[in-house]
Amino acid sequence: MFPGQLYKTESGRLFHAGAIAIIFVGLPARGKTHVSRSLSRYLKWLGVQTNVFSVGNYRRQIIGVEVTNDFFSPMNKDTADLRLKIANACLDDMIRWFAAGGQVGILDGSNTTEERRRDLVERFKSVDVNYMFIESICDNPVIIDSNIRSVKVSSPDYVGWKDTDAVQDFKRRIENHVPFYTTIEDKSLSWVKLINVGEKIIVNNVHGFLQSKVVYYLMNLHISPRKIYFAKNGVSLNEQSYRADAPLSPAGHKYAENLKNFVLKLRENQGLLSPAATTAEAPRPLTVWTSARKRSFQTAAHFLDHAEIIVRQRSVLGERNPGVCDQMTPQEIEKKYPDECLRAKNDPYRHRFPRAESYYDLANRLEKVILELEREKNDVLIIAHESVIKCLYGYLFGLSERSIPSLEIPEGVLLELVPRAYATEETRHVIPDTLVGINWQQQTANLLSLAGKVPASPMFMDHYLPDDKRKGRPGSNTTFSTPSSSPALSSTAVSDMSPGIQHRGDLADDLGHGPEGNFRL
């Protein structure tokens, strides 16, 4: 079973769709490899048995990577038989895979001639496999050049090459194909045309639920370079209770400020060192996504004092609901629900305690976020609970459902992911504590004023406001109370942020409360 799989069948095929061959068409460096692998990842997440058959991989296995660019030229009659042999070896394996029960096979190749496409249609029809062409057309030289540099230079064909030499060699490979390339015009065929990888999409003669899911995914997909960051939310005042929805603790606010400072410094350093800094390409903005849970939102709220950063709430990014296990320790759960605990150990991904959510429930809830994440062209920082990060991380790396519950997302670490055509690259950064020794004090109204910039329902925003501010919610004129030598910090007075907490005096003593509703850490 796969993370988002709704049900099982005897044949292993879903949605009454039968077997489908998705055939890519287009010149090199048009994003076919990136799109094919991204589509495969999404379909596998849904539980569809999917496999990518790359003609390029077969060529590397059969003859290696030491080939000149004229090997690929249709004008080269000396290599024509070998090229056909390689393409047919890939196709034969794909047919055998369908016969063994596979559902969606993706043929990643150029397939630029009408003759080759007719042969493929006849071959798939002969074994009762439906087909759909996806033609990637790109006339934007910026996109083509970016794809060559970011994808092809890092491909197995150019290991050990200088970047400039690899780029020039690949451009000559493209030029060899151009005179022989014909776009799909036959309207009796089933096809989708991607123009400039998502700028425009044309759909012709596509039928069926699963085929429609493929088209919908393609409408949300792009291959522009971007980064995805994951960070856990800060520690709240009540980590044991889901229903309490407790605000951040002072340590949580300190972590949030450290996270903000580190992310901004990291992006500044990467901007100075990246190739984009020396080109006309504009730096990508950063968007912060967070849930409607207080500890997640308040962690993200520290970014609100930077006008160039967009902070958005996504209610579906909320953590798993623990149900009857709320506020219980693992030992208490084991004692009260021994049978449920046994079932949870046998199937940690799909088991749910009474009135609770499983990882499976969470994964299906997150499908909306997954599609939005594919569509987002800004860099994205997702601040959420560990369970949410596990599911999204599992999607980006194509992990099985068995792997997701046991993933470890370390405390105080920023995950930096870069989706590529051949793999998703990951870097883990330890978030340094830059606030050591700083006597940092902040007033609640400051953060509340910033919080008003985030799209949210009025009912939701009332949770963040003191009793005397709930009706009008005017903007606050209160200024930060911090030492002049320290950076601006975003902190919160716990008693004001959580109106439900009545023991204000005791809490103030525990937190080292200062005058005028500030706390000291």
Side-chain angles (χ1 to χ4, degrees):
M1 296 282 284
F2 292 91
Q5 186 168 340
L6 295 175
Y7 63 95
K8 291 182 180 179
T9 64
E10 270 189 36
S11 67
R13 293 175 177 171
L14 305 180
F15 309 118
H16 306 284
I20 304 172
I22 296 179
I23 308 162
F24 274 82
V25 175
L27 292 169
R30 265 56 180 179
K32 300 187 301 297
T33 297
H34 197 142
V35 174
S36 65
R37 280 159 174 74
S38 296
L39 177 59
S40 173
R41 180 181 62 201
Y42 175 67
L43 292 176
K44 285 180 178 178
W45 176 265
L46 296 179
V48 178
Q49 295 186 60
T50 309
N51 199 8
V52 177
F53 294 85
S54 170
V55 177
N57 285 345
Y58 277 76
R59 185 254 308 161
R60 283 184 280 269
Q61 292 170 10
I62 293 173
I63 63 174
V65 298
E66 298 295 331
V67 293
T68 57
N69 59 72
D70 62 351
F71 171 87
F72 304 94
S73 173
M75 294 181 62
N76 190 341
K77 303 301 181 183
D78 295 335
T79 60
D81 290 341
L82 182 55
R83 293 198 310 272
L84 183 60
K85 177 183 176 181
I86 293 169
N88 285 338
C90 181
L91 179 60
D92 291 342
D93 280 355
M94 189 172 175
I95 298 293
R96 283 191 284 270
W97 180 78
F98 280 125
Q103 184 163 14
V104 175
I106 301 176
L107 185 59
D108 179 15
S110 297
N111 304 307
T112 52
T113 66
E114 288 188 17
E115 180 183 4
R116 179 59 180 171
R117 295 194 289 265
R118 282 196 302 268
D119 290 344
L120 291 172
V121 169
E122 292 303 319
R123 184 74 185 275
F124 288 123
K125 282 184 175 180
S126 69
V127 292
D128 197 27
V129 172
N130 299 313
Y131 70 90
M132 181 170 70
F133 290 101
I134 298 178
E135 182 176 10
S136 184
I137 301 171
C138 186
D139 55 11
N140 187 330
V142 175
I143 296 177
I144 296 172
D145 188 68
S146 174
N147 193 40
I148 292 173
R149 294 181 184 278
S150 65
V151 179
K152 297 306 177 183
V153 169
S154 60
S155 80
D157 286 344
Y158 294 106
V159 174
W161 284 54
K162 293 181 179 179
D163 287 358
T164 53
D165 293 341
V167 168
Q168 293 304 315
D169 183 81
F170 198 83
K171 285 182 176 179
R172 286 191 292 270
R173 186 185 299 186
I174 296 172
E175 292 168 0
N176 289 333
H177 279 81
V178 171
F180 302 91
Y181 169 51
T182 56
T183 187
I184 302 175
E185 300 290 350
D186 188 349
K187 293 191 176 180
S188 68
L189 300 178
S190 175
W191 47 260
V192 176
K193 292 190 179 185
L194 291 176
I195 314 297
N196 290 329
V197 199
E199 185 178 292
K200 181 179 179 181
I201 184 169
I202 304 173
V203 181
N204 178 77
N205 202 20
V206 173
H207 305 283
F209 176 78
L210 187 52
Q211 291 90 330
S212 298
K213 291 283 282 187
V214 169
V215 172
Y216 183 60
Y217 177 76
L218 294 175
M219 292 172 67
N220 288 277
L221 184 65
H222 70 85
I223 63 170
S224 302
R226 41 75 177 268
K227 292 180 184 290
I228 300 170
Y229 305 96
F230 289 129
K232 293 169 70 171
N233 49 243
V235 178
S236 72
L237 286 171
N238 187 350
E239 286 289 298
Q240 300 303 316
S241 177
Y242 173 86
R243 286 190 293 270
D245 192 16
L248 281 183
S249 66
H253 280 290
K254 183 179 181 182
Y255 160 80
E257 188 65 22
N258 279 321
L259 171 64
K260 180 195 74 173
N261 292 340
F262 178 71
V263 169
L264 296 179
K265 189 64 176 178
L266 177 67
R267 289 175 59 79
E268 178 185 351
N269 292 340
Q270 290 175 340
L272 292 173
L273 300 175
S274 67
T278 59
T279 67
E281 183 182 352
R284 296 180 299 274
L286 176 66
T287 300
V288 179
W289 292 1
T290 186
S291 76
R293 305 288 294 177
K294 288 182 181 177
R295 59 181 174 181
S296 293
F297 170 76
Q298 290 178 9
T299 304
H302 283 249
F303 287 87
L304 287 169
D305 55 354
H306 291 264
E308 74 279 6
I309 297 177
I310 303 169
V311 179
R312 298 195 182 281
Q313 294 172 357
R314 298 287 183 270
S315 59
V316 292
L317 285 173
E319 63 210 70
R320 287 192 305 152
N321 188 333
V324 297
C325 299
D326 192 33
Q327 300 188 66
M328 296 177 67
T329 66
Q331 293 76 20
E332 291 171 338
I333 297 171
E334 184 79 39
K335 183 178 180 180
K336 190 170 183 178
Y337 303 106
D339 293 339
E340 294 290 342
C341 288
L342 183 60
R343 295 188 190 102
K345 289 177 182 177
N346 292 332
D347 190 358
Y349 183 79
R350 290 181 177 265
H351 175 267
R352 65 174 71 87
F353 284 88
R355 297 192 293 279
E357 281 185 301
S358 64
Y359 276 102
Y360 167 76
D361 299 323
L362 177 58
N364 279 282
R365 170 159 46 99
L366 289 173
E367 185 181 357
K368 297 176 183 177
V369 173
I370 286 171
L371 290 171
E372 192 167 356
L373 190 59
E374 296 285 15
R375 184 169 64 247
E376 180 65 68
K377 292 188 176 181
N378 289 353
D379 290 346
V380 178
L381 166 62
I382 297 178
I383 299 174
H385 185 265
E386 182 180 39
S387 58
V388 175
I389 295 176
K390 284 182 178 182
C391 286
L392 294 176
Y393 183 96
Y395 167 74
L396 290 169
F397 283 92
L399 301 181
S400 68
E401 63 175 44
R402 283 284 180 181
S403 304
I404 289 176
S406 59
L407 281 174
E408 291 187 6
I409 309 298
E411 299 284 347
V413 171
L414 177 73
L415 307 185
E416 178 185 350
L417 309 183
V418 182
R420 303 282 190 192
Y422 292 95
T424 299
E425 299 174 359
E426 178 186 7
T427 306
R428 298 195 173 196
H429 306 276
V430 176
I431 302 169
D433 184 358
T434 58
L435 304 178
V436 175
I438 296 178
N439 181 19
W440 59 301
Q441 295 185 2
Q442 295 252 330
Q443 296 182 2
T444 304
N446 232 338
L447 188 57
L448 297 176
S449 173
L450 292 171
K453 299 178 182 178
V454 179
S457 67
M459 182 181 297
F460 170 74
M461 288 308 301
D462 279 348
H463 287 291
Y464 293 100
L465 298 174
D467 292 334
D468 60 342
K469 298 290 186 181
R470 288 190 175 189
K471 291 184 179 180
R473 261 177 279 146
S476 170
N477 294 322
T478 309
T479 57
F480 288 135
S481 174
T482 57
S484 58
S485 59
S486 65
L489 305 174
S490 301
S491 176
T492 308
V494 176
S495 55
D496 288 337
M497 289 294 285
S498 183
I501 297 178
Q502 301 298 325
H503 48 287
R504 179 171 183 145
D506 294 340
L507 186 62
D509 294 337
D510 290 341
L511 300 181
H513 235 277
E516 301 179 4
N518 296 334
F519 61 78
R520 296 191 298 272
L521 186 63

